[in-house]
Short mmCIF file of all heavy atoms in Angstrom, two decimals:
data_model
loop_
_atom_site.label_atom_id
_atom_site.label_comp_id
_atom_site.label_asym_id
_atom_site.label_seq_id
_atom_site.Cartn_x
_atom_site.Cartn_y
_atom_site.Cartn_z
N ILE A 1 4.82 -12.56 2.73
CA ILE A 1 3.96 -11.39 2.63
C ILE A 1 3.34 -11.24 4.02
O ILE A 1 2.57 -12.09 4.46
CB ILE A 1 2.86 -11.56 1.57
CG1 ILE A 1 3.48 -11.92 0.21
CG2 ILE A 1 2.03 -10.28 1.48
CD1 ILE A 1 4.29 -10.83 -0.42
N ASP A 2 3.72 -10.20 4.72
CA ASP A 2 3.34 -9.99 6.11
C ASP A 2 2.03 -9.20 6.17
O ASP A 2 1.94 -8.10 5.63
CB ASP A 2 4.47 -9.23 6.81
CG ASP A 2 4.32 -9.15 8.32
OD1 ASP A 2 3.23 -8.76 8.78
OD2 ASP A 2 5.29 -9.47 9.03
N GLU A 3 1.05 -9.77 6.86
CA GLU A 3 -0.26 -9.12 6.92
C GLU A 3 -0.16 -7.72 7.54
O GLU A 3 -0.87 -6.80 7.13
CB GLU A 3 -1.25 -9.97 7.71
CG GLU A 3 -2.68 -9.46 7.63
CD GLU A 3 -3.68 -10.37 8.32
OE1 GLU A 3 -3.26 -11.20 9.16
OE2 GLU A 3 -4.88 -10.26 8.03
N ARG A 4 0.71 -7.54 8.52
CA ARG A 4 0.86 -6.24 9.15
C ARG A 4 1.41 -5.21 8.18
O ARG A 4 0.96 -4.05 8.16
CB ARG A 4 1.79 -6.35 10.37
CG ARG A 4 1.34 -7.33 11.43
CD ARG A 4 2.48 -7.64 12.40
NE ARG A 4 3.65 -8.19 11.71
CZ ARG A 4 4.84 -8.40 12.28
NH1 ARG A 4 5.01 -8.11 13.56
NH2 ARG A 4 5.84 -8.90 11.59
N VAL A 5 2.37 -5.62 7.36
CA VAL A 5 2.96 -4.72 6.37
C VAL A 5 1.92 -4.31 5.34
O VAL A 5 1.80 -3.12 4.99
CB VAL A 5 4.17 -5.40 5.70
CG1 VAL A 5 4.64 -4.59 4.48
CG2 VAL A 5 5.30 -5.58 6.70
N GLU A 6 1.16 -5.28 4.85
CA GLU A 6 0.12 -4.95 3.87
C GLU A 6 -0.94 -4.05 4.47
O GLU A 6 -1.41 -3.09 3.83
CB GLU A 6 -0.52 -6.24 3.33
CG GLU A 6 0.43 -7.11 2.53
CD GLU A 6 1.08 -6.37 1.38
OE1 GLU A 6 0.34 -5.85 0.51
OE2 GLU A 6 2.33 -6.27 1.37
N LEU A 7 -1.34 -4.32 5.70
CA LEU A 7 -2.36 -3.52 6.38
C LEU A 7 -1.92 -2.07 6.52
O LEU A 7 -2.66 -1.14 6.15
CB LEU A 7 -2.65 -4.13 7.76
CG LEU A 7 -3.60 -3.38 8.69
CD1 LEU A 7 -4.98 -3.22 8.05
CD2 LEU A 7 -3.70 -4.11 10.03
N PHE A 8 -0.73 -1.84 7.04
CA PHE A 8 -0.26 -0.47 7.24
C PHE A 8 0.01 0.23 5.91
O PHE A 8 -0.23 1.43 5.79
CB PHE A 8 0.99 -0.47 8.13
CG PHE A 8 0.68 -0.48 9.59
CD1 PHE A 8 -0.12 -1.48 10.16
CD2 PHE A 8 1.17 0.50 10.43
CE1 PHE A 8 -0.41 -1.49 11.52
CE2 PHE A 8 0.88 0.52 11.78
CZ PHE A 8 0.09 -0.49 12.33
N SER A 9 0.51 -0.51 4.93
CA SER A 9 0.75 0.08 3.62
C SER A 9 -0.55 0.57 2.99
O SER A 9 -0.61 1.66 2.41
CB SER A 9 1.43 -0.94 2.69
OG SER A 9 2.70 -1.30 3.16
N ILE A 10 -1.58 -0.24 3.12
CA ILE A 10 -2.88 0.12 2.53
C ILE A 10 -3.50 1.29 3.27
O ILE A 10 -4.08 2.21 2.66
CB ILE A 10 -3.81 -1.11 2.51
CG1 ILE A 10 -3.32 -2.09 1.43
CG2 ILE A 10 -5.26 -0.71 2.25
CD1 ILE A 10 -4.04 -3.42 1.42
N ILE A 11 -3.39 1.32 4.59
CA ILE A 11 -3.94 2.45 5.35
C ILE A 11 -3.29 3.76 4.91
O ILE A 11 -3.98 4.77 4.67
CB ILE A 11 -3.74 2.22 6.87
CG1 ILE A 11 -4.70 1.14 7.37
CG2 ILE A 11 -3.94 3.52 7.65
CD1 ILE A 11 -4.47 0.70 8.80
N PHE A 12 -1.97 3.77 4.79
CA PHE A 12 -1.31 5.01 4.41
C PHE A 12 -1.42 5.29 2.91
O PHE A 12 -1.25 6.45 2.49
CB PHE A 12 0.14 5.01 4.90
CG PHE A 12 0.24 5.42 6.35
CD1 PHE A 12 0.10 4.47 7.36
CD2 PHE A 12 0.43 6.74 6.71
CE1 PHE A 12 0.15 4.84 8.70
CE2 PHE A 12 0.49 7.12 8.04
CZ PHE A 12 0.34 6.17 9.05
N ARG A 13 -1.74 4.29 2.12
CA ARG A 13 -2.12 4.54 0.72
C ARG A 13 -3.44 5.29 0.69
O ARG A 13 -3.57 6.31 -0.02
CB ARG A 13 -2.24 3.21 -0.05
CG ARG A 13 -2.81 3.38 -1.46
CD ARG A 13 -2.87 2.06 -2.19
NE ARG A 13 -1.53 1.60 -2.55
CZ ARG A 13 -0.88 2.00 -3.63
NH1 ARG A 13 -1.44 2.87 -4.47
NH2 ARG A 13 0.32 1.54 -3.90
N LEU A 14 -4.41 4.81 1.44
CA LEU A 14 -5.72 5.46 1.47
C LEU A 14 -5.63 6.86 2.07
O LEU A 14 -6.42 7.75 1.73
CB LEU A 14 -6.71 4.61 2.26
CG LEU A 14 -7.01 3.21 1.68
CD1 LEU A 14 -7.94 2.44 2.61
CD2 LEU A 14 -7.62 3.32 0.29
N ALA A 15 -4.64 7.06 2.97
CA ALA A 15 -4.45 8.37 3.59
C ALA A 15 -3.77 9.36 2.65
O ALA A 15 -3.75 10.57 2.92
CB ALA A 15 -3.64 8.23 4.88
N GLY A 16 -3.19 8.85 1.56
CA GLY A 16 -2.61 9.73 0.55
C GLY A 16 -1.11 9.95 0.63
O GLY A 16 -0.57 10.77 -0.12
N ASN A 17 -0.41 9.24 1.53
CA ASN A 17 1.05 9.41 1.59
C ASN A 17 1.68 9.05 0.24
O ASN A 17 1.49 7.93 -0.24
CB ASN A 17 1.64 8.52 2.67
CG ASN A 17 1.52 9.13 4.05
OD1 ASN A 17 0.44 9.57 4.43
ND2 ASN A 17 2.61 9.15 4.80
N PRO A 18 2.44 9.95 -0.37
CA PRO A 18 3.01 9.67 -1.71
C PRO A 18 3.86 8.40 -1.76
O PRO A 18 3.81 7.66 -2.74
CB PRO A 18 3.85 10.92 -2.00
CG PRO A 18 3.24 11.98 -1.17
CD PRO A 18 2.77 11.30 0.09
N GLU A 19 4.66 8.15 -0.71
CA GLU A 19 5.55 6.99 -0.73
C GLU A 19 4.78 5.68 -0.67
O GLU A 19 5.34 4.62 -0.99
CB GLU A 19 6.57 7.08 0.42
CG GLU A 19 5.99 6.88 1.82
CD GLU A 19 5.40 8.13 2.43
OE1 GLU A 19 5.15 9.10 1.68
OE2 GLU A 19 5.17 8.14 3.65
N TYR A 20 3.51 5.71 -0.25
CA TYR A 20 2.68 4.51 -0.24
C TYR A 20 1.64 4.54 -1.36
O TYR A 20 0.68 3.76 -1.34
CB TYR A 20 1.99 4.36 1.13
CG TYR A 20 2.97 3.92 2.20
CD1 TYR A 20 3.52 4.84 3.09
CD2 TYR A 20 3.37 2.59 2.30
CE1 TYR A 20 4.44 4.45 4.05
CE2 TYR A 20 4.29 2.19 3.26
CZ TYR A 20 4.82 3.12 4.13
OH TYR A 20 5.74 2.72 5.07
N ASN A 21 1.85 5.42 -2.34
CA ASN A 21 0.91 5.53 -3.45
C ASN A 21 1.55 5.35 -4.82
O ASN A 21 1.04 5.85 -5.82
CB ASN A 21 0.19 6.88 -3.39
CG ASN A 21 -1.11 6.79 -2.58
OD1 ASN A 21 -2.15 6.41 -3.11
ND2 ASN A 21 -1.01 7.09 -1.30
N MET A 22 2.67 4.65 -4.86
CA MET A 22 3.25 4.32 -6.17
C MET A 22 2.33 3.33 -6.88
O MET A 22 1.64 2.54 -6.25
CB MET A 22 4.65 3.76 -5.98
CG MET A 22 5.60 4.74 -5.32
SD MET A 22 7.28 4.10 -5.19
CE MET A 22 7.85 4.93 -3.70
N LYS A 23 2.37 3.38 -8.19
CA LYS A 23 1.35 2.67 -8.98
C LYS A 23 1.90 1.54 -9.83
O LYS A 23 1.32 1.17 -10.85
CB LYS A 23 0.60 3.67 -9.85
CG LYS A 23 -0.18 4.70 -9.04
CD LYS A 23 -0.86 5.72 -9.94
CE LYS A 23 -1.84 6.60 -9.14
NZ LYS A 23 -1.19 7.33 -8.05
N PHE A 24 3.02 0.95 -9.42
CA PHE A 24 3.62 -0.11 -10.23
C PHE A 24 2.76 -1.37 -10.27
O PHE A 24 2.63 -2.00 -11.30
CB PHE A 24 5.01 -0.45 -9.67
CG PHE A 24 6.00 0.68 -9.75
CD1 PHE A 24 6.32 1.43 -8.62
CD2 PHE A 24 6.60 1.00 -10.95
CE1 PHE A 24 7.23 2.48 -8.69
CE2 PHE A 24 7.51 2.04 -11.04
CZ PHE A 24 7.82 2.79 -9.90
N ALA A 25 2.18 -1.75 -9.13
CA ALA A 25 1.38 -2.99 -9.03
C ALA A 25 -0.06 -2.72 -9.44
O ALA A 25 -0.98 -2.75 -8.63
CB ALA A 25 1.45 -3.54 -7.61
N LYS A 26 -0.27 -2.47 -10.72
CA LYS A 26 -1.56 -1.98 -11.20
C LYS A 26 -2.72 -2.91 -10.84
O LYS A 26 -3.78 -2.47 -10.39
CB LYS A 26 -1.51 -1.75 -12.70
CG LYS A 26 -0.55 -0.63 -13.11
CD LYS A 26 -0.51 -0.44 -14.61
CE LYS A 26 0.46 0.67 -14.99
NZ LYS A 26 0.56 0.85 -16.46
N HIS A 27 -2.56 -4.21 -11.06
CA HIS A 27 -3.65 -5.15 -10.79
C HIS A 27 -3.94 -5.24 -9.29
O HIS A 27 -5.11 -5.24 -8.88
CB HIS A 27 -3.29 -6.54 -11.33
CG HIS A 27 -3.21 -6.61 -12.82
ND1 HIS A 27 -2.18 -6.04 -13.53
CD2 HIS A 27 -4.03 -7.18 -13.74
CE1 HIS A 27 -2.36 -6.26 -14.82
NE2 HIS A 27 -3.48 -6.94 -14.98
N TYR A 28 -2.90 -5.29 -8.50
CA TYR A 28 -3.06 -5.39 -7.05
C TYR A 28 -3.69 -4.11 -6.50
O TYR A 28 -4.58 -4.16 -5.64
CB TYR A 28 -1.70 -5.64 -6.41
CG TYR A 28 -1.72 -5.94 -4.93
CD1 TYR A 28 -2.51 -6.95 -4.40
CD2 TYR A 28 -0.92 -5.21 -4.04
CE1 TYR A 28 -2.51 -7.24 -3.03
CE2 TYR A 28 -0.91 -5.49 -2.69
CZ TYR A 28 -1.72 -6.50 -2.19
OH TYR A 28 -1.72 -6.78 -0.85
N ILE A 29 -3.25 -2.97 -7.00
CA ILE A 29 -3.81 -1.69 -6.56
C ILE A 29 -5.28 -1.58 -6.94
O ILE A 29 -6.10 -1.06 -6.17
CB ILE A 29 -2.99 -0.52 -7.14
CG1 ILE A 29 -1.58 -0.52 -6.52
CG2 ILE A 29 -3.68 0.81 -6.87
CD1 ILE A 29 -0.61 0.40 -7.23
N ALA A 30 -5.64 -2.10 -8.11
CA ALA A 30 -7.05 -2.11 -8.51
C ALA A 30 -7.88 -2.92 -7.52
O ALA A 30 -9.00 -2.53 -7.16
CB ALA A 30 -7.19 -2.67 -9.92
#
């Protein structure tokens, strides 16, 4: 689990990019 990957994924999740806003990992996303 690469810290850089998680960091950038979360930034673009918060920015609203649809491809980074899938909701499969419900607990982790919470």
Side-chain angles (χ1 to χ4, degrees):
I1 305 293
D2 190 309
E3 189 175 20
R4 302 165 302 172
V5 169
E6 295 305 301
L7 175 59
F8 275 56
S9 296
I10 287 172
I11 287 172
F12 278 86
R13 172 178 289 276
L14 297 176
N17 279 50
E19 70 276 16
Y20 287 99
N21 269 276
M22 299 184 210
K23 296 177 170 59
F24 296 103
K26 294 179 181 178
H27 293 72
Y28 187 54
I29 293 168

